[in-house]
PDB file of all heavy atoms in Angstrom:
ATOM      1  N   ALA A   1       0.816  -1.210  -0.004  1.00 93.00           N
ATOM      2  CA  ALA A   1      -0.003   0.002   0.003  1.00 93.00           C
ATOM      3  C   ALA A   1       0.854   1.267   0.002  1.00 93.00           C
ATOM      4  O   ALA A   1       0.505   2.244  -0.662  1.00 93.00           O
ATOM      5  CB  ALA A   1      -0.952   0.002   1.196  1.00 93.00           C
ATOM      6  N   VAL A   2       1.984   1.253   0.721  1.00 96.00           N
ATOM      7  CA  VAL A   2       2.812   2.456   0.753  1.00 96.00           C
ATOM      8  C   VAL A   2       3.404   2.731  -0.629  1.00 96.00           C
ATOM      9  O   VAL A   2       3.573   3.897  -1.002  1.00 96.00           O
ATOM     10  CB  VAL A   2       3.896   2.390   1.847  1.00 96.00           C
ATOM     11  CG1 VAL A   2       5.056   1.484   1.439  1.00 96.00           C
ATOM     12  CG2 VAL A   2       4.410   3.791   2.169  1.00 96.00           C
ATOM     13  N   GLN A   3       3.692   1.701  -1.380  1.00 96.00           N
ATOM     14  CA  GLN A   3       4.217   1.925  -2.740  1.00 96.00           C
ATOM     15  C   GLN A   3       3.175   2.603  -3.623  1.00 96.00           C
ATOM     16  O   GLN A   3       3.501   3.526  -4.357  1.00 96.00           O
ATOM     17  CB  GLN A   3       4.688   0.595  -3.359  1.00 96.00           C
ATOM     18  CG  GLN A   3       5.877   0.003  -2.632  1.00 96.00           C
ATOM     19  CD  GLN A   3       7.036   0.965  -2.490  1.00 96.00           C
ATOM     20  OE1 GLN A   3       7.470   1.570  -3.438  1.00 96.00           O
ATOM     21  NE2 GLN A   3       7.540   1.100  -1.269  1.00 96.00           N
ATOM     22  N   GLU A   4       1.931   2.168  -3.516  1.00 94.00           N
ATOM     23  CA  GLU A   4       0.855   2.797  -4.282  1.00 94.00           C
ATOM     24  C   GLU A   4       0.660   4.245  -3.830  1.00 94.00           C
ATOM     25  O   GLU A   4       0.471   5.145  -4.644  1.00 94.00           O
ATOM     26  CB  GLU A   4      -0.451   2.005  -4.135  1.00 94.00           C
ATOM     27  CG  GLU A   4      -0.415   0.694  -4.878  1.00 94.00           C
ATOM     28  CD  GLU A   4      -1.759  -0.004  -4.887  1.00 94.00           C
ATOM     29  OE1 GLU A   4      -2.803   0.656  -4.652  1.00 94.00           O
ATOM     30  OE2 GLU A   4      -1.779  -1.217  -5.137  1.00 94.00           O
ATOM     31  N   LEU A   5       0.707   4.453  -2.525  1.00 96.00           N
ATOM     32  CA  LEU A   5       0.541   5.800  -1.981  1.00 96.00           C
ATOM     33  C   LEU A   5       1.636   6.732  -2.461  1.00 96.00           C
ATOM     34  O   LEU A   5       1.374   7.850  -2.909  1.00 96.00           O
ATOM     35  CB  LEU A   5       0.524   5.754  -0.449  1.00 96.00           C
ATOM     36  CG  LEU A   5       0.468   7.080   0.264  1.00 96.00           C
ATOM     37  CD1 LEU A   5      -0.849   7.813  -0.021  1.00 96.00           C
ATOM     38  CD2 LEU A   5       0.642   6.900   1.770  1.00 96.00           C
ATOM     39  N   LEU A   6       2.887   6.273  -2.418  1.00 97.00           N
ATOM     40  CA  LEU A   6       4.008   7.107  -2.825  1.00 97.00           C
ATOM     41  C   LEU A   6       4.039   7.371  -4.322  1.00 97.00           C
ATOM     42  O   LEU A   6       4.568   8.409  -4.745  1.00 97.00           O
ATOM     43  CB  LEU A   6       5.321   6.502  -2.344  1.00 97.00           C
ATOM     44  CG  LEU A   6       5.494   6.475  -0.827  1.00 97.00           C
ATOM     45  CD1 LEU A   6       6.742   5.699  -0.436  1.00 97.00           C
ATOM     46  CD2 LEU A   6       5.507   7.889  -0.254  1.00 97.00           C
ATOM     47  N   GLN A   7       3.492   6.485  -5.114  1.00 96.00           N
ATOM     48  CA  GLN A   7       3.389   6.752  -6.560  1.00 96.00           C
ATOM     49  C   GLN A   7       2.424   7.908  -6.796  1.00 96.00           C
ATOM     50  O   GLN A   7       2.644   8.761  -7.651  1.00 96.00           O
ATOM     51  CB  GLN A   7       2.906   5.516  -7.312  1.00 96.00           C
ATOM     52  CG  GLN A   7       3.985   4.479  -7.470  1.00 96.00           C
ATOM     53  CD  GLN A   7       3.490   3.244  -8.202  1.00 96.00           C
ATOM     54  OE1 GLN A   7       2.314   3.132  -8.555  1.00 96.00           O
ATOM     55  NE2 GLN A   7       4.386   2.287  -8.398  1.00 96.00           N
ATOM     56  N   MET A   8       1.364   7.953  -6.024  1.00 93.00           N
ATOM     57  CA  MET A   8       0.349   9.001  -6.155  1.00 93.00           C
ATOM     58  C   MET A   8       0.809  10.295  -5.478  1.00 93.00           C
ATOM     59  O   MET A   8       0.555  11.374  -5.991  1.00 93.00           O
ATOM     60  CB  MET A   8      -0.960   8.537  -5.512  1.00 93.00           C
ATOM     61  CG  MET A   8      -2.025   9.593  -5.445  1.00 93.00           C
ATOM     62  SD  MET A   8      -3.500   9.055  -4.530  1.00 93.00           S
ATOM     63  CE  MET A   8      -2.814   8.566  -2.964  1.00 93.00           C
ATOM     64  N   ALA A   9       1.471  10.161  -4.321  1.00 94.00           N
ATOM     65  CA  ALA A   9       1.841  11.322  -3.523  1.00 94.00           C
ATOM     66  C   ALA A   9       3.216  11.107  -2.898  1.00 94.00           C
ATOM     67  O   ALA A   9       3.323  10.628  -1.776  1.00 94.00           O
ATOM     68  CB  ALA A   9       0.797  11.566  -2.436  1.00 94.00           C
ATOM     69  N   PRO A  10       4.271  11.403  -3.650  1.00 95.00           N
ATOM     70  CA  PRO A  10       5.625  11.166  -3.140  1.00 95.00           C
ATOM     71  C   PRO A  10       5.934  11.874  -1.820  1.00 95.00           C
ATOM     72  O   PRO A  10       6.816  11.471  -1.086  1.00 95.00           O
ATOM     73  CB  PRO A  10       6.541  11.696  -4.249  1.00 95.00           C
ATOM     74  CG  PRO A  10       5.685  11.749  -5.457  1.00 95.00           C
ATOM     75  CD  PRO A  10       4.278  11.955  -4.986  1.00 95.00           C
ATOM     76  N   GLU A  11       5.189  12.915  -1.503  1.00 94.00           N
ATOM     77  CA  GLU A  11       5.416  13.660  -0.268  1.00 94.00           C
ATOM     78  C   GLU A  11       4.735  13.034   0.953  1.00 94.00           C
ATOM     79  O   GLU A  11       4.903  13.502   2.075  1.00 94.00           O
ATOM     80  CB  GLU A  11       4.908  15.105  -0.413  1.00 94.00           C
ATOM     81  CG  GLU A  11       3.385  15.253  -0.407  1.00 94.00           C
ATOM     82  CD  GLU A  11       2.655  14.841  -1.692  1.00 94.00           C
ATOM     83  OE1 GLU A  11       3.284  14.450  -2.678  1.00 94.00           O
ATOM     84  OE2 GLU A  11       1.421  14.930  -1.688  1.00 94.00           O
ATOM     85  N   ALA A  12       3.983  11.952   0.765  1.00 96.00           N
ATOM     86  CA  ALA A  12       3.245  11.326   1.847  1.00 96.00           C
ATOM     87  C   ALA A  12       4.159  10.878   2.968  1.00 96.00           C
ATOM     88  O   ALA A  12       5.271  10.406   2.737  1.00 96.00           O
ATOM     89  CB  ALA A  12       2.436  10.136   1.314  1.00 96.00           C
ATOM     90  N   ARG A  13       3.683  11.062   4.172  1.00 98.00           N
ATOM     91  CA  ARG A  13       4.420  10.641   5.360  1.00 98.00           C
ATOM     92  C   ARG A  13       3.706   9.447   5.972  1.00 98.00           C
ATOM     93  O   ARG A  13       2.692   9.602   6.641  1.00 98.00           O
ATOM     94  CB  ARG A  13       4.488  11.800   6.366  1.00 98.00           C
ATOM     95  CG  ARG A  13       5.297  12.961   5.828  1.00 98.00           C
ATOM     96  CD  ARG A  13       5.280  14.110   6.784  1.00 98.00           C
ATOM     97  NE  ARG A  13       6.061  15.207   6.240  1.00 98.00           N
ATOM     98  CZ  ARG A  13       6.054  16.410   6.727  1.00 98.00           C
ATOM     99  NH1 ARG A  13       5.302  16.694   7.759  1.00 98.00           N
ATOM    100  NH2 ARG A  13       6.788  17.346   6.185  1.00 98.00           N
ATOM    101  N   ALA A  14       4.241   8.274   5.683  1.00 98.00           N
ATOM    102  CA  ALA A  14       3.610   7.038   6.125  1.00 98.00           C
ATOM    103  C   ALA A  14       4.408   6.408   7.272  1.00 98.00           C
ATOM    104  O   ALA A  14       5.629   6.386   7.255  1.00 98.00           O
ATOM    105  CB  ALA A  14       3.514   6.046   4.970  1.00 98.00           C
ATOM    106  N   ILE A  15       3.675   5.914   8.243  1.00 97.00           N
ATOM    107  CA  ILE A  15       4.234   5.222   9.391  1.00 97.00           C
ATOM    108  C   ILE A  15       3.771   3.770   9.325  1.00 97.00           C
ATOM    109  O   ILE A  15       2.582   3.513   9.169  1.00 97.00           O
ATOM    110  CB  ILE A  15       3.770   5.862  10.703  1.00 97.00           C
ATOM    111  CG1 ILE A  15       4.199   7.333  10.765  1.00 97.00           C
ATOM    112  CG2 ILE A  15       4.228   5.070  11.926  1.00 97.00           C
ATOM    113  CD1 ILE A  15       3.515   8.134  11.851  1.00 97.00           C
ATOM    114  N   VAL A  16       4.695   2.836   9.440  1.00 96.00           N
ATOM    115  CA  VAL A  16       4.338   1.425   9.439  1.00 96.00           C
ATOM    116  C   VAL A  16       4.112   0.976  10.875  1.00 96.00           C
ATOM    117  O   VAL A  16       4.833   1.381  11.789  1.00 96.00           O
ATOM    118  CB  VAL A  16       5.407   0.564   8.730  1.00 96.00           C
ATOM    119  CG1 VAL A  16       6.728   0.602   9.438  1.00 96.00           C
ATOM    120  CG2 VAL A  16       4.921  -0.865   8.564  1.00 96.00           C
ATOM    121  N   SER A  17       3.093   0.146  11.056  1.00 95.00           N
ATOM    122  CA  SER A  17       2.776  -0.387  12.376  1.00 95.00           C
ATOM    123  C   SER A  17       2.567  -1.884  12.271  1.00 95.00           C
ATOM    124  O   SER A  17       1.977  -2.367  11.300  1.00 95.00           O
ATOM    125  CB  SER A  17       1.500   0.288  12.907  1.00 95.00           C
ATOM    126  OG  SER A  17       1.141  -0.259  14.162  1.00 95.00           O
ATOM    127  N   SER A  18       3.061  -2.614  13.258  1.00 93.00           N
ATOM    128  CA  SER A  18       2.886  -4.051  13.270  1.00 93.00           C
ATOM    129  C   SER A  18       3.058  -4.604  14.683  1.00 93.00           C
ATOM    130  O   SER A  18       3.748  -4.009  15.503  1.00 93.00           O
ATOM    131  CB  SER A  18       3.918  -4.720  12.348  1.00 93.00           C
ATOM    132  OG  SER A  18       3.748  -6.134  12.349  1.00 93.00           O
ATOM    133  N   GLY A  19       2.431  -5.731  14.910  1.00 90.00           N
ATOM    134  CA  GLY A  19       2.627  -6.441  16.168  1.00 90.00           C
ATOM    135  C   GLY A  19       3.744  -7.448  16.063  1.00 90.00           C
ATOM    136  O   GLY A  19       4.091  -8.112  17.041  1.00 90.00           O
ATOM    137  N   TYR A  20       4.324  -7.587  14.881  1.00 86.00           N
ATOM    138  CA  TYR A  20       5.409  -8.526  14.645  1.00 86.00           C
ATOM    139  C   TYR A  20       6.737  -7.778  14.652  1.00 86.00           C
ATOM    140  O   TYR A  20       7.252  -7.394  13.598  1.00 86.00           O
ATOM    141  CB  TYR A  20       5.210  -9.259  13.322  1.00 86.00           C
ATOM    142  CG  TYR A  20       3.896 -10.012  13.254  1.00 86.00           C
ATOM    143  CD1 TYR A  20       2.800  -9.498  12.571  1.00 86.00           C
ATOM    144  CD2 TYR A  20       3.748 -11.225  13.914  1.00 86.00           C
ATOM    145  CE1 TYR A  20       1.597 -10.179  12.523  1.00 86.00           C
ATOM    146  CE2 TYR A  20       2.554 -11.929  13.879  1.00 86.00           C
ATOM    147  CZ  TYR A  20       1.469 -11.394  13.170  1.00 86.00           C
ATOM    148  OH  TYR A  20       0.293 -12.070  13.137  1.00 86.00           O
ATOM    149  N   ALA A  21       7.286  -7.552  15.837  1.00 82.00           N
ATOM    150  CA  ALA A  21       8.472  -6.724  16.003  1.00 82.00           C
ATOM    151  C   ALA A  21       9.690  -7.281  15.263  1.00 82.00           C
ATOM    152  O   ALA A  21      10.590  -6.540  14.922  1.00 82.00           O
ATOM    153  CB  ALA A  21       8.791  -6.551  17.471  1.00 82.00           C
ATOM    154  N   GLU A  22       9.703  -8.565  14.985  1.00 85.00           N
ATOM    155  CA  GLU A  22      10.852  -9.164  14.316  1.00 85.00           C
ATOM    156  C   GLU A  22      10.813  -9.039  12.799  1.00 85.00           C
ATOM    157  O   GLU A  22      11.747  -9.420  12.113  1.00 85.00           O
ATOM    158  CB  GLU A  22      10.977 -10.643  14.706  1.00 85.00           C
ATOM    159  CG  GLU A  22       9.884 -11.555  14.163  1.00 85.00           C
ATOM    160  CD  GLU A  22       8.560 -11.497  14.916  1.00 85.00           C
ATOM    161  OE1 GLU A  22       8.490 -10.916  16.011  1.00 85.00           O
ATOM    162  OE2 GLU A  22       7.573 -12.038  14.396  1.00 85.00           O
ATOM    163  N   ASP A  23       9.754  -8.467  12.250  1.00 87.00           N
ATOM    164  CA  ASP A  23       9.657  -8.308  10.793  1.00 87.00           C
ATOM    165  C   ASP A  23      10.769  -7.393  10.288  1.00 87.00           C
ATOM    166  O   ASP A  23      10.953  -6.305  10.822  1.00 87.00           O
ATOM    167  CB  ASP A  23       8.299  -7.727  10.421  1.00 87.00           C
ATOM    168  CG  ASP A  23       8.020  -7.836   8.926  1.00 87.00           C
ATOM    169  OD1 ASP A  23       8.809  -7.264   8.138  1.00 87.00           O
ATOM    170  OD2 ASP A  23       7.044  -8.491   8.563  1.00 87.00           O
ATOM    171  N   PRO A  24      11.525  -7.813   9.278  1.00 90.00           N
ATOM    172  CA  PRO A  24      12.623  -6.996   8.789  1.00 90.00           C
ATOM    173  C   PRO A  24      12.200  -5.638   8.222  1.00 90.00           C
ATOM    174  O   PRO A  24      13.004  -4.708   8.207  1.00 90.00           O
ATOM    175  CB  PRO A  24      13.271  -7.870   7.703  1.00 90.00           C
ATOM    176  CG  PRO A  24      12.294  -8.932   7.396  1.00 90.00           C
ATOM    177  CD  PRO A  24      11.414  -9.094   8.583  1.00 90.00           C
ATOM    178  N   ILE A  25      10.970  -5.508   7.810  1.00 92.00           N
ATOM    179  CA  ILE A  25      10.506  -4.224   7.312  1.00 92.00           C
ATOM    180  C   ILE A  25      10.557  -3.171   8.417  1.00 92.00           C
ATOM    181  O   ILE A  25      10.888  -2.012   8.174  1.00 92.00           O
ATOM    182  CB  ILE A  25       9.104  -4.330   6.682  1.00 92.00           C
ATOM    183  CG1 ILE A  25       9.168  -5.203   5.424  1.00 92.00           C
ATOM    184  CG2 ILE A  25       8.516  -2.950   6.371  1.00 92.00           C
ATOM    185  CD1 ILE A  25       7.831  -5.493   4.798  1.00 92.00           C
TER     186      ILE A  25
END
């Protein structure tokens, strides 16, 4: 989703959230 968002709005400020703290992202 962030890739789609940034294609539309490169200035977007996105924060990723997850309960899986070990995820490499």
Side-chain angles (χ1 to χ4, degrees):
V2 77
Q3 294 306 310
E4 289 188 19
L5 176 64
L6 293 173
Q7 285 179 358
M8 173 186 55
E11 74 284 358
R13 295 176 179 168
I15 299 166
V16 63
S17 178
S18 180
Y20 301 102
E22 69 281 349
D23 193 299
I25 293 175

